[in-house]
Amino acid sequence: MPKFMDVHEGFHGATQEQLAEAHQRDLDTEGQDGVHFEHAWLDPESGKVFCLSTAPDKEAVMRVHERSGHPTDQVFELPVEA
Amino acid sequence: MPKFMDVHEGFHGATQEQLAEAHQRDLDTEGQDGVHFEHAWLDPESGKVFCLSTAPDKEAVMRVHERSGHPTDQVFELPVEA
């Protein structure tokens, strides 16, 4: 299953609870699109969130995030890793 | 130890061997700055590389990457994760 990294902007000053809640919304419905969000990391200073997932394609990742209320079009497929 | 995600641009069409070689250059000298690069992911289409590390600070991450010949100023501290 392809891996993806996606990037969200605008989470300035977000807390552990807010990130966990946003991530849980993804987990709650990801199965509808065959996606699994493995991990999310937040930099509250820049407001960036990085999400690592496995998914059938980029559009599936975007659908789950849009349904959860935090859409992004910055989704990158990761066929190579080290 | 703080965690960081950094982003590199311009790796369009890079191969598994090229990513592994670039990552190995980081591993070879990271100890000088107290950094450890845990993982690197590449999207050859956009040319982006994402590196996850632990380090004393952002500047230490930048020093290792600069010494390895792939400098970046896109380094984000990740105090919150889910």
Side-chain angles (χ1 to χ4, degrees):
Chain A
M1 182 86 89
K3 284 192 184 182
F4 297 86
M5 187 77 77
D6 66 76
V7 186
H8 303 259
E9 312 277 354
F11 280 74
H12 299 89
T15 64
Q16 173 67 51
E17 289 71 21
Q18 288 169 321
L19 182 69
E21 197 268 340
H23 184 56
Q24 187 59 49
R25 284 206 303 280
D26 292 331
L27 298 179
D28 287 346
T29 79
E30 65 183 14
Q32 293 178 36
D33 287 281
V35 178
H36 178 53
F37 287 98
E38 295 185 355
H39 211 91
W41 296 270
L42 162 66
D43 172 12
E45 192 176 313
S46 66
K48 283 187 193 278
V49 174
F50 298 90
C51 298
L52 185 67
S53 64
T54 55
D57 54 37
K58 191 179 293 195
E59 290 70 26
V61 175
M62 293 173 72
R63 281 196 299 275
V64 180
H65 278 328
E66 185 164 2
R67 199 158 52 228
S68 298
H70 42 252
T72 183
D73 59 0
Q74 293 186 66
V75 185
F76 305 97
E77 191 167 345
L78 307 169
V80 182
E81 51 192 300
Chain B
M1 183 85 91
K3 285 192 184 181
F4 296 87
M5 187 78 77
D6 66 75
V7 186
H8 303 260
E9 313 278 354
F11 280 74
H12 300 90
T15 64
Q16 173 67 53
E17 288 71 20
Q18 288 169 321
L19 182 69
E21 196 269 338
H23 183 56
Q24 187 59 50
R25 283 206 305 279
D26 293 330
L27 298 180
D28 287 346
T29 79
E30 64 182 15
Q32 293 178 35
D33 288 282
V35 178
H36 178 54
F37 287 98
E38 296 187 353
H39 212 93
W41 297 269
L42 163 66
D43 172 13
E45 193 177 313
S46 67
K48 282 186 193 279
V49 174
F50 298 90
C51 297
L52 185 67
S53 64
T54 55
D57 54 37
K58 190 179 293 195
E59 289 70 26
V61 174
M62 293 172 72
R63 280 195 300 274
V64 180
H65 279 327
E66 185 164 1
R67 198 158 52 228
S68 298
H70 42 252
T72 182
D73 58 0
Q74 294 186 66
V75 185
F76 305 97
E77 189 168 346
L78 307 170
V80 182
E81 52 192 299

